[in-house]
Amino acid sequence: MVPSPHISAPLGFPDLKLSVPYADAIRYAQFRLLMLAKGELKSFCEQHELPYTSIVGLKNSSLKREEPRLLQRLLRSLAVDTEVIRIPPNSQSPRFLFPTVEALTTFQQQLKCFDSGNPPLPESEAPTGGAESPTP
């Protein structure tokens, strides 16, 4: 008998140190959506088969309730692989679990950058801090 490709590994208890709260995940997604060029959101939603109106609501913080599955789909479309978990099981707000420490660290660094309002620029674009010196 050939095993089904849809059978997954047994679920173990998640490493909660690799999780972030819903509030961090939605804040990150909002920052990433704001990075899209004006007019690109609709085509992004079409390309990733995301509901445009709901994504606009998520972006503008106008959703009436938390939408963890929609947020998870959006994060995956932004190359941020997570799983939605509820710890404790009766909690109101879900958490987003990252597969590795590296993925979580990258997420946290990017979120910190977004929160600070000062994204690191490549060396060639970084301001020098003073006026340009005249050429001889």
Side-chain angles (χ1 to χ4, degrees):
M1 188 163 134
V2 176
S4 169
H6 301 289
I7 296 175
S8 61
L11 290 176
F13 193 79
D15 184 352
L16 300 179
K17 291 181 278 186
L18 296 178
S19 71
V20 296
Y22 181 88
D24 286 357
I26 198 162
R27 202 167 75 248
Y28 177 90
Q30 289 168 333
F31 281 121
R32 289 287 304 271
L33 290 173
L34 289 171
M35 292 172 65
L36 292 173
K38 186 171 179 130
E40 292 295 315
L41 184 58
K42 188 165 194 136
S43 63
F44 172 81
C45 289
E46 289 171 358
Q47 178 184 359
H48 296 281
E49 299 178 358
L50 295 167
Y52 176 73
T53 305
S54 297
I55 295 298
V56 168
L58 188 146
K59 176 184 172 190
N60 298 331
S61 299
S62 61
L63 293 176
K64 304 254 187 260
R65 59 187 168 88
E66 290 183 348
E67 295 286 350
R69 294 293 175 202
L70 175 63
L71 181 54
Q72 180 187 29
R73 286 179 54 208
L74 174 58
L75 289 173
R76 287 184 175 173
S77 296
L78 296 169
V80 179
D81 192 27
T82 62
E83 294 297 326
V84 177
I85 60 171
R86 289 195 184 273
I87 298 289
N90 61 350
S91 67
Q92 293 298 314
S93 214
R95 296 187 66 83
F96 289 80
L97 181 68
F98 287 82
T100 64
V101 172
E102 293 79 15
L104 174 61
T105 300
T106 298
F107 173 89
Q108 290 172 328
Q109 288 172 341
Q110 290 176 358
L111 187 60
K112 184 177 180 180
C113 169
F114 294 147
D115 286 340
S116 75
N118 296 314
L121 299 173
E123 290 298 318
S124 63
E125 297 179 34
T128 58
E132 291 183 20
S133 60
T135 54

